[in-house]
Amino acid sequence: MSDAEFRSGFVTFVGRPNVGKSTLTNALVGEKVAITSDKPQTTRRAIRGILTRPSGQLVIVDTPGIHKPRTLLGQRLNDLVEQVLGDVDVIGFLVPATDKVGPGDRRIAESLDGYGRARKVAIVTKTDIASRDQITERLMEVDSLREDWAAVIPLSAVAGEQLDVLADELLTLMPEGPALYEEGVVTDESVEDRIAEIIREAALEGVRDELPHSIAVTVEDIAEREDGEITDIHANIVVERDSQKGIIIGHKGSRLRDVGSRARAQIEPLVGTKVFLKLHVRIAKEWQRDPKQLGRLGF
Ligand SMILES: Nc1nc2c(ncn2[C@@H]2O[C@H](COP(=O)(O)OP(=O)(O)OP(=O)(O)O)[C@@H](O)[C@H]2O)c(=O)[nH]1
Ligand SMILES: [Mg+2]
């Protein structure tokens, strides 16, 4: 038997907001590298998650969901996805088994024509909460969206079903090449950026309507104390209006305290010490529509 060559390359998952792209990225990587929530437009950056196997390495670029933009931020998120799509070796198109394929899905599937270089894989996800009939129907709908699917795979990122089937398929579609990251590396996100995202995820829990879109988080300072046992972290939760600030803070600060303790539980294992987390809530009026503010927030 001859040694198969090591394969490596880039894959990104596309689909409407909330279909489960980040959850799938984390499930494949085996660690949380991208935050997830039940609110649309959770992901706002191209986050790399890395999966290394004896046979090859996948660099998974998690991107925002493609949607009709209503703000400058929304436009920039769609542009970011477009950029990533032009660079990857494989595009995984996601639809949840639970929802009928709609015009939004169809538009995204058709737009993949613009990326001729990439192989395309269709993924029907959330099979753990769908009936057999729904899964069958979705597989048929998705299959007919394009003629060039390299594979059509049903899976559940939450229940961990069929993840190996997808990983194997993606690896065989990658070009031959050396590993791009050392073994054991799961992301190239900085600790600071991961902390900001963990705080944003905690802040997203339990808020509704326009508020999830209005929340941004910046980390101002991370400093380990001399005894090496505590890390002090100062971060800003940015919102767009005074009323939103009130909601985030909650009655006598109760909501903000909850956000802080939820975030801290995830930050401590990341930095490896106890964490003293100081959260400030600030207002940046209409930041999603303001190029200057967007720049300041890293978009
Ligand atoms: N039951 C079930 N829920 C899932 C699965 N995958 C994702 N979800 C849920 O779907 C919601 C959205 O998941 P995300 O991974 O944040 O979706 P996304 O596509 O990254 O969303 P955006 O970043 O907003 O575009 C979350 O509440 C997840 O827990 C799955 O396989 N099964
Ligand atoms: Mg996401």
Side-chain angles (χ1 to χ4, degrees):
M1 203 179 96
S2 69
D3 281 346
E5 284 293 324
F6 197 83
R7 296 181 175 274
S8 67
F10 293 82
V11 55
T12 192
F13 300 126
V14 292
R16 284 181 291 109
N18 224 21
V19 294
K21 300 174 293 297
S22 300
T23 308
L24 180 57
T25 301
N26 292 337
L28 286 169
V29 170
E31 191 177 313
K32 181 156 142 185
V33 294
I35 64 165
T36 64
S37 86
D38 57 2
K39 319 289 182 306
Q41 276 183 52
T42 300
T43 306
R44 289 179 180 159
R45 308 148 39 79
I47 291 170
R48 287 184 180 190
I50 297 133
L51 171 68
T52 310
R53 289 270 185 93
S55 61
Q57 185 174 69
L58 296 175
V59 182
I60 306 164
V61 189
D62 185 30
T63 50
I66 302 172
H67 59 287
K68 234 189 214 144
R70 269 183 269 138
T71 62
L72 186 57
L73 173 67
Q75 258 171 46
R76 291 200 175 163
L77 297 186
N78 280 353
D79 292 349
L80 172 70
V81 179
E82 213 170 283
Q83 239 177 48
V84 171
L85 285 172
D87 283 341
V88 294
D89 302 288
V90 179
I91 298 171
F93 169 74
L94 255 74
V95 291
T98 44
D99 306 349
K100 275 195 93 50
V101 166
D105 300 303
R106 230 168 256 123
R107 245 195 319 274
I108 296 171
E110 277 166 22
S111 74
L112 301 185
D113 283 343
Y115 312 97
R117 196 182 78 86
R119 306 292 302 277
K120 285 112 190 154
V121 173
I123 300 163
V124 170
T125 187
K126 305 195 186 184
T127 55
D128 58 302
I129 48 169
S131 66
R132 264 168 191 270
D133 287 352
Q134 281 181 311
I135 297 169
T136 311
E137 187 182 83
R138 219 59 65 230
L139 286 168
M140 280 164 36
E141 281 177 356
V142 165
D143 190 57
S144 67
L145 285 178
R146 295 187 66 86
E147 295 195 332
D148 59 354
W149 298 126
V152 181
I153 299 173
L155 59 77
S156 164
V158 164
E161 284 160 9
Q162 295 254 100
L163 291 174
D164 279 339
V165 174
L166 176 65
D168 289 342
E169 180 67 42
L170 294 175
L171 280 166
T172 53
L173 292 173
M174 291 297 156
E176 288 178 0
L180 301 161
Y181 292 89
E182 270 177 51
E183 206 170 336
V185 176
V186 293
T187 185
D188 61 359
E189 286 289 287
S190 68
V191 170
E192 185 178 313
D193 286 340
R194 289 179 84 178
I195 291 172
E197 286 287 89
I198 288 169
I199 297 168
R200 188 161 64 86
E201 183 182 63
L204 284 174
E205 210 171 289
V207 299
R208 298 180 287 129
D209 307 325
E210 286 310 301
L211 184 48
H213 300 272
S214 294
I215 298 173
V217 174
T218 60
V219 170
E220 299 302 309
D221 191 48
I222 306 176
E224 197 177 304
R225 292 190 194 168
E226 269 175 25
D227 62 11
E229 285 180 12
I230 294 178
T231 305
D232 289 290
I233 299 174
H234 289 253
N236 290 329
I237 297 180
V238 180
V239 293
E240 297 191 285
R241 288 186 290 281
D242 217 21
S243 56
Q244 296 177 328
K245 182 173 172 172
I247 295 171
I248 292 287
I249 292 172
H251 183 60
K252 293 189 176 162
S254 59
R255 206 177 163 282
L256 191 60
R257 268 198 303 280
D258 287 348
V259 169
S261 63
R262 274 202 302 277
R264 207 177 53 229
Q266 291 194 57
I267 297 169
E268 285 180 343
L270 199 62
V271 297
T273 70
K274 288 222 161 296
V275 163
F276 181 79
L277 180 61
K278 186 85 185 104
L279 297 175
H280 313 265
V281 183
R282 305 220 185 288
I283 297 168
K285 282 212 161 52
E286 300 278 327
W287 67 261
Q288 292 182 77
R289 297 167 198 276
D290 177 351
K292 241 197 225 140
Q293 306 256 34
L294 283 173
R296 236 176 262 150
L297 291 167
F299 295 105

